[in-house]
Amino acid sequence: MSQADFGRLEIELAEVEMPGLMACRAEFGPSQPLKGARITGSLHMTIQTAVLIETLTALGASVRWCSCNIFSTQDHAAAAIARDSAAVFAWKGETLQEYWWCTERALDWGSEGGPNLIVDDGGDATLLIHEGVKAEEEYEKTGKVPDPTSTDNAEFQIVLAIIRDGLKEDPKKYHKMKERLVGVSEETTTGVKRLYQMQANGTLLFPAINVNDSVTKSKFDNLYGCRHSLPDGLMRATDVMIAGKVAVVCGYGDVGKGCAAALKQAGARVIVTEIDPICALQSLMEGIPVLTLEDVVSEADIFVTTTGNKDIIMVDHMRKMKNNAIVCNIGHFNTEIDMHGLETYPGVKRITIKPQTDRWVFPETGTGIIVLAEGRLMNLGCATGHPSFVMSCSFTNQVIAQLELWKEKTTGKYEKKVYVLPKHLDEKVAALHLGKLGAKLTKLSPEQAAYISVPVEGPYKPPNYRY
Amino acid sequence: MSQADFGRLEIELAEVEMPGLMACRAEFGPSQPLKGARITGSLHMTIQTAVLIETLTALGASVRWCSCNIFSTQDHAAAAIARDSAAVFAWKGETLQEYWWCTERALDWGSEGGPNLIVDDGGDATLLIHEGVKAEEEYEKTGKVPDPTSTDNAEFQIVLAIIRDGLKEDPKKYHKMKERLVGVSEETTTGVKRLYQMQANGTLLFPAINVNDSVTKSKFDNLYGCRHSLPDGLMRATDVMIAGKVAVVCGYGDVGKGCAAALKQAGARVIVTEIDPICALQSLMEGIPVLTLEDVVSEADIFVTTTGNKDIIMVDHMRKMKNNAIVCNIGHFNTEIDMHGLETYPGVKRITIKPQTDRWVFPETGTGIIVLAEGRLMNLGCATGHPSFVMSCSFTNQVIAQLELWKEKTTGKYEKKVYVLPKHLDEKVAALHLGKLGAKLTKLSPEQAAYISVPVEGPYKPPNYRY
Amino acid sequence: MSQADFGRLEIELAEVEMPGLMACRAEFGPSQPLKGARITGSLHMTIQTAVLIETLTALGASVRWCSCNIFSTQDHAAAAIARDSAAVFAWKGETLQEYWWCTERALDWGSEGGPNLIVDDGGDATLLIHEGVKAEEEYEKTGKVPDPTSTDNAEFQIVLAIIRDGLKEDPKKYHKMKERLVGVSEETTTGVKRLYQMQANGTLLFPAINVNDSVTKSKFDNLYGCRHSLPDGLMRATDVMIAGKVAVVCGYGDVGKGCAAALKQAGARVIVTEIDPICALQSLMEGIPVLTLEDVVSEADIFVTTTGNKDIIMVDHMRKMKNNAIVCNIGHFNTEIDMHGLETYPGVKRITIKPQTDRWVFPETGTGIIVLAEGRLMNLGCATGHPSFVMSCSFTNQVIAQLELWKEKTTGKYEKKVYVLPKHLDEKVAALHLGKLGAKLTKLSPEQAAYISVPVEGPYKPPNYRY
Amino acid sequence: MSQADFGRLEIELAEVEMPGLMACRAEFGPSQPLKGARITGSLHMTIQTAVLIETLTALGASVRWCSCNIFSTQDHAAAAIARDSAAVFAWKGETLQEYWWCTERALDWGSEGGPNLIVDDGGDATLLIHEGVKAEEEYEKTGKVPDPTSTDNAEFQIVLAIIRDGLKEDPKKYHKMKERLVGVSEETTTGVKRLYQMQANGTLLFPAINVNDSVTKSKFDNLYGCRHSLPDGLMRATDVMIAGKVAVVCGYGDVGKGCAAALKQAGARVIVTEIDPICALQSLMEGIPVLTLEDVVSEADIFVTTTGNKDIIMVDHMRKMKNNAIVCNIGHFNTEIDMHGLETYPGVKRITIKPQTDRWVFPETGTGIIVLAEGRLMNLGCATGHPSFVMSCSFTNQVIAQLELWKEKTTGKYEKKVYVLPKHLDEKVAALHLGKLGAKLTKLSPEQAAYISVPVEGPYKPPNYRY
């Protein structure tokens, strides 16, 4: 619990850096608009998230929380929240088994049944409910329970086992949960992709707000957040000098752009790999060459995956790398680096330098590579994730989404579809963050507003504007 | 005509830098898909445009051309095209009267009536037809002809006079033109805004393809083009050292982002003015403060307008500026700088240093400011506009749009609405430009494509992706 | 001692990043040129220093070591060296009393008397000997022993007490040490300044090699090292988002240039304070304004001192800062920030967030500032200092200087003066670091060498060349 | 003479950008310290030089001027000076014959004999006198006159012919000149190297002040000037898009650093070639790879020579380049690019796109390269050279050097050696340029000055400080 005191001190520092969340408390706190709402969150249990949680509780909600990554919890943040504000099921360095146990715990509101709202990051809480409902339906129809041995994906085996065990207790557990659920707000590219797939397949069980595609999320958190936290993670894990090195960034989306910018500015020679010709051309316009991983695998010093895809850096690539090449991932899931191939490579030797920093030595060459955070999000595993200010943008979107879902819970405004927040709310999130940085906006005159056909108070851009 | 030889040499250099257009010639030239199409273009008559024109003719079209800015024509480009490829009505330094005469000439295909297709930049050719049709309808109904004295906008007076004179010759001239028109492709933010307004008002007379909002246009030409051509224009016009100066960029859209980046990289301290809180926050994340023009008007050395709006820098601002402050515009229209206010300021004295570079001296202080290109596009008035490579992206979109309109001319696919090109064509435009820069794309495996739910061959991003 | 294992793993990683030191081992190890040399080092006891120490021992030397900063020791590095290679007197978080005790211990070679060579950083080991000799002379002449109460500099009181206590044991202790000493090599701007002052005053007791002014030291370690380690320290201590913030860098020498570059690249708006008009003009040419601290004290978010001077940020400045403004020092000594004034400010409250990160709250306003590393070197106190690669440059200069002093110990080549290494050795240090980064040098032809009047093999620049 | 009016307008603009020169006029004008001095200048006859010339005349000097490069004269600047202030022998596009005729004319003060002072750039005026004196001595001893056919350097043949012809008129012409000469101030790396060689050989005939090695010259003009004028020259000559291109910069001295920075910032991928390992390591620390020309000759789009050496890009390199690769030089002399080899390559074809922009087509491949300014200084041949502000720094050093030489003309302070200006004058030059950029210096307190052992008013750095 001394951890809790430390956590509280850092939470207080973070509040000063999170003007959007603090403005929400000031604006909405008095009217308690989330009164009666039970919110389950599955989102990295960091100091910044602590400020989010306490914003939700300040608006009247009850909250239970788990992390969405086994390494991303900051224990002092978790301790402070657990002591002061909400039920927390998260610690740094969970096993996968523990991870899904935590997720299940955060969804379980005891006799109250389940949450009304979900704050999701990557979609694991949403996934568990959807898989649970599917299994319950199968069980109702056929009496069959989920069989973990039916998959060789180790993580999904755990999910199935949890659902199977739940079925025994209550064969309607996830159905009841689904019924109570007003909706989810999801903040990652990866989680959103899942939601749109479910919408397309007609399997989405409740409304979803896509917070990721708020401009103030994807063009800020993903870009500027990673620009900050990628070098932070590299430095804390390895103390490597970035200047002079050759760094490969796989993917040049928002996350990749932030990573490439950070590495370039620090004096690395950056190379990008891309599948998308438009993003590739953007990279070239910034002076960053676009090549394939095969072209550069044996020359580069640092490799970062940012694709959101799978099978990006395979063990066969890793074997060809220079001694002590650094391999890490900053995309949401640990699918980008072939950790399974590495772990099962015959004769490979793992030397743990320190937690989340492992050197893997290949038997043929005796040379090794350094893998960060076991292939999971290195900025959260090896450092403290994105800084408070940019997370304030993301989380203010989350709060606004939760308010919107709860306000409209009975109006039918939101169907079982995926929605983005309207642009004027996106602009509002940005506006809440300008004062802290000393900015002053220009005001449109009515004549100017008419000339460009926008309202004086905004929104100022058409929906398809790219920023 | 020695100008034509010089123009031809520069056109040949530009062809090497415009791989998208040359690829179109290679792919489509043999089948002559634009055969029979009469295309009128209203677009800066530069070397790059010459390569566009000759791509259109290489695909079978007949072409007539005018510029869309009184200062933007490169006379050697015009000479080469006039001699070799198409009818051209454009020269550097037109009067407004001459400008609209040129526009009318480019639209007049004699006995053939009018163009089938328009390539537009800013929308002046489209405007003339719409205003002409409106006047003819009024005339048919009421017998009234347009009265230039009914407006005090000097330029619109000229437009009305031209339409009035046309009415006398043929009271159905613009109606006939409208009937023949298959559609227009428009490439500027400004022109597109006009089209969407007409669509909203139900007054759009023919289909339009919005080329501006192709990613390979607005995120390339606007951004990287201006990053190149703003300092080019400043240097050619004034030879001013940018390093150490304070520069104000009004507007932080794509054009403003390019301008701010160029000035910052050259060593200026940049300040942005913005109305939109999201763009303002982007500026701050790049280390560029956001203030109002009033805050900085007396301290800055260079002022650039990029807003697409009007009344940005007024004569009252200019009076307060430092001696020899440079004032210029790189937005499409000359509405951003209050040239009328400056010209009519009591006692102001204009000293022309060289064409498009004027020093205006205020009588109270004896100090002067330097205005570029009379408040019009400074990169085209004082330099040669955007470089060939980035214009190849924009113009390849134009060619693809023209092909699409002409191919579907009788299918009814395109109604009297505004369309954007489908993403796979946008990606194709980018792909055509990668080889020249030595880039190699990574190929998705079918498993990877399935994992992220895109076709192996693209398109790779959802429609709302912002890049 | 598990710390020692961890230290050893990190030392092995660092060796790969320190090609200059490893090349020294390969080139000189077999001939054992430092055989018989007793070396005392007073230099941050980090992983990188561990590689230096083991290079010295690999060349035949015996070594005793202390740190030159109370917070800079990495305990796992110290543990590994203590176990495997040399006597170490250093731990993270020494008191000043302990610090000087360690220095004295490192100089005390027991019956062997004292070191033959000193590796110094900041000059504290050299200072202790000089002060010791001075006191012994005074004592011999007058019988007076040093009186700690004669100064109100708390640290110097400790120095005097140690010398006084030493006098009692052996009134010739420092004289004997001086006699045995072949020389010192010193690597900081600050320590070198002291040496030149002693040379000017005629009080320097032994030869000194100024390693700091090797180009491969001051233009690399100071500049690129700080560019790396300043943001590293800020992030580890505070997790603050640098983008969007206003940062003041006091001083624009090599260290200041590195700091300003890092902050600017991370998206801060940087302001420099300077006394030197040339450095000020350099700052302006990079787009960084030069103002006084008073101008900006209440607007900035981050303050960094890099001057090597004293009394830069006084408590009166700190009182006027924004809430949670960050104040830190990256200059060698803790003289730049007025910690004494802060600590004794009436009613001030210190809240330790975590070690080396303190929030100081002023009673009048209730707002606080965050001071890093108690005003000492923040990159070593809050992070791990400069990365291995750039320290390899610095330390290779140290090794070469030690070799040179030892080789010439009896030839009289070096008098009691300050020397810099010849340029061909400086170039050699650089050359040893190129291969690791994949660089290939061009070779001069004899004709080219003659044309520019340099030897084909270098040195390539005149002595006064500035790089 | 309308050219003169235009020149005068631009001179007036430049005066506002040249605060150092204008401050010299204000400080020294009243006392006319150059009264009686006859100054010959051999320095690019640009607008900036015009302000220098009129500063010298404002201080009392009589001036005759020629350019030091056949392409660098701005005719309107020359016209204005010729009309208003001094004798000028320079025009854009001289032949080599004309160039040396101009140099001889500028040195010929008729019955007054020769100049008292020389302002030199590259050392051609100094060279002519030294060669003249040598020839006269030979003639006096042996009766032999210089034989142009004794060399196959075409330019040196011209020099010898001019001296030969002069000998016939007056066999003591250059001896008389030498006698009258108080000294020369020289401002280029190249010219200074010649002076030090003559000093080393004992052949220097009069005192010389090395203005190049003032910090406010070499670290400003060479670095920031080229950062500005390299892209300016590229754009004006070729309109090429720099973003996305591969650019090779040969040499990473001050000029190379400026060029590489400019190209990188504009979005090129830059590669450096270097002989000096220290400069090479600096390049790597900025993320710029160091390779040999052979490694990259067939992949790069732009080649820039900055070495001050000879035979950098040979015709054999040029043959291997991509079609329309751009080859240019920004080092002082046209020795870097093998123009002779190119011109005499069998079957090569030269196509002049416009003056100073030639396409050379090789017969084997039919592909061509684009050579700027015939291998001479491209920033002066294709654009207008460095901007006024940075030239104000360089030229203020020149003025101060001329004042110093003239003031000490009879005191014997300066021997026949090469001198640099003392640091306090260097700092003064910088200080004169701060106000224009809105900078405010911090003042040292006496205690601080004592602590770092410098005078309160400076100079602030030791002589070997590198900035």
Side-chain angles (χ1 to χ4, degrees), chain A residues 315-316 319 339-350 360-366:
Chain A
V315 70
D316 202 52
R319 283 178 51 218
M339 290 307 297
H340 181 74
L342 181 61
E343 286 157 8
T344 59
Y345 190 86
V348 79
K349 196 173 146 201
R350 172 180 177 171
W360 294 81
V361 181
F362 291 99
E364 300 87 352
T365 55

Side-chain angles (χ1 to χ4, degrees), chain B residues 4-313:
Chain B
D5 289 338
F6 172 34
R8 179 54 52 195
L9 285 172
E10 291 223 320
I11 288 168
E12 286 168 9
L13 291 187
E15 286 172 356
V16 178
E17 287 282 309
M18 302 187 88
L21 291 182
M22 299 312 277
C24 286
R25 293 190 197 179
E27 179 175 352
F28 301 113
S31 63
Q32 295 283 297
L34 290 177
K35 185 145 201 161
R38 293 191 305 271
I39 300 177
T40 290
S42 166
L43 198 159
H44 314 287
M45 183 59 246
T46 63
I47 289 292
Q48 290 74 35
T49 301
V51 183
L52 167 61
I53 291 170
E54 295 191 337
T55 302
L56 295 171
T57 58
L59 271 49
S62 302
V63 174
R64 293 173 75 83
W65 213 265
C66 61
S67 195
C68 61
N69 180 297
I70 61 175
F71 292 134
S72 67
T73 297
Q74 294 170 3
D75 290 335
H76 62 310
I81 291 300
R83 185 187 66 188
D84 302 339
S85 303
V88 174
F89 306 90
W91 56 93
K92 190 173 182 77
E94 301 162 357
T95 64
L96 282 175
Q97 187 78 43
E98 290 165 345
Y99 172 79
W100 284 99
W101 177 85
C102 287
T103 306
E104 197 274 339
R105 284 297 79 210
L107 285 169
D108 187 345
W109 287 73
S111 57
E112 299 163 273
N116 306 117
L117 293 164
I118 294 176
V119 172
D120 219 349
D121 180 305
D124 278 352
T126 299
L127 173 88
L128 184 56
I129 298 172
H130 279 75
E131 291 294 330
V133 167
K134 198 161 76 175
E136 289 172 2
E137 285 174 356
E138 173 81 5
Y139 178 72
E140 188 169 15
K141 277 197 243 162
T142 68
K144 277 207 268 186
V145 296
D147 175 11
T149 66
S150 64
T151 174
D152 51 357
N153 175 321
E155 185 161 3
F156 199 56
Q157 290 174 352
I158 297 168
V159 173
L160 292 181
I162 283 178
I163 294 171
R164 181 196 57 198
D165 298 347
L167 258 182
K168 294 173 193 165
E169 288 175 33
D170 178 357
K172 286 290 180 189
K173 172 174 174 174
Y174 290 102
H175 272 79
K176 291 177 200 161
M177 216 177 268
K178 173 192 87 167
E179 294 310 319
R180 277 185 201 91
L181 257 166
V182 167
V184 61
S185 56
E186 163 63 47
E187 75 170 61
T188 65
T189 310
T190 296
V192 159
K193 206 183 310 161
R194 282 185 180 176
L195 291 170
Y196 281 113
Q197 286 171 9
M198 288 192 283
Q199 175 180 277
N201 300 339
T203 58
L204 187 61
L205 299 172
F206 37 78
I209 292 186
N210 164 3
V211 166
N212 180 67
D213 286 318
S214 291
V215 185
T216 47
K217 202 286 171 181
S218 59
K219 299 284 281 191
F220 283 81
D221 174 348
N222 300 11
L223 178 62
Y224 305 118
C226 291
R227 193 177 68 177
H228 176 105
S229 63
L230 176 82
D232 193 13
L234 281 173
M235 287 173 181
R236 295 200 205 202
T238 70
D239 291 313
V240 75
M241 184 155 197
I242 296 170
K245 297 298 194 301
V246 175
V248 177
V249 176
C250 299
Y252 199 67
D254 289 319
V255 169
K257 285 177 173 76
C259 292
L263 291 164
K264 189 180 171 192
Q265 288 158 350
R269 282 166 280 160
V270 180
I271 295 158
V272 152
T273 71
E274 247 302 339
I275 57 161
D276 182 328
I278 297 178
C279 296
L281 197 54
Q282 290 184 305
S283 176
L284 291 158
M285 289 298 102
E286 299 299 340
I288 303 174
V290 177
L291 295 168
T292 67
L293 189 53
E294 284 67 30
D295 293 323
V296 295
V297 70
S298 61
E299 291 163 38
D301 301 284
I302 301 170
F303 296 83
V304 185
T305 57
T306 77
T307 68
N309 206 325
K310 65 173 187 175
D311 299 342
I312 304 304
I313 300 182

Side-chain angles (χ1 to χ4, degrees), chain D residues 235-275:
Chain D
M235 288 173 181
R236 295 199 206 203
T238 70
D239 291 312
V240 75
M241 184 154 196
I242 296 171
K245 296 299 193 299
V246 175
V248 177
V249 176
C250 299
Y252 199 66
D254 289 318
V255 169
K257 285 176 173 76
C259 292
L263 291 163
K264 189 180 172 193
Q265 288 159 351
R269 282 165 283 160
V270 180
I271 294 158
V272 153
T273 71
E274 247 302 340
I275 58 161

Side-chain angles (χ1 to χ4, degrees), chain A residues 146-162:
Chain A
D147 176 9
T149 65
S150 64
T151 173
D152 52 355
N153 177 319
E155 185 161 2
F156 199 55
Q157 289 174 352
I158 296 168
V159 172
L160 292 181
I162 281 179

Side-chain angles (χ1 to χ4, degrees), chain D residues 350-371:
Chain D
R350 173 180 178 171
I351 302 162
T352 296
I353 310 291
K354 57 188 177 187
Q356 271 80 262
T357 306
D358 294 297
R359 187 164 183 262
W360 294 80
V361 181
F362 290 100
E364 301 87 351
T365 56
T367 63
I369 61 165
I370 298 170
V371 178

Side-chain angles (χ1 to χ4, degrees), chain D residues 63 120 215 228 317 352 365 379 381 399 416:
Chain D
V63 174
D120 219 350
V215 185
H228 177 106
H317 293 123
T352 296
T365 56
N379 57 343
V399 171
K416 290 173 184 174

Side-chain angles (χ1 to χ4, degrees), chain D residues 17-38:
Chain D
E17 287 283 309
M18 301 186 89
L21 291 182
M22 300 312 278
C24 287
R25 292 190 198 178
E27 179 176 351
F28 300 114
S31 63
Q32 294 284 298
L34 291 178
K35 185 144 202 164
R38 293 191 304 271

Side-chain angles (χ1 to χ4, degrees), chain C residues 197 219 295 440 453 467, chain D residues 197 219 295 440 453 467:
Chain C
Q197 286 170 10
K219 300 284 281 190
D295 294 322
K440 288 165 69 177
S453 307
Y467 297 89
Chain D
Q197 286 171 8
K219 298 285 281 189
D295 293 323
K440 288 165 68 178
S453 307
Y467 298 88

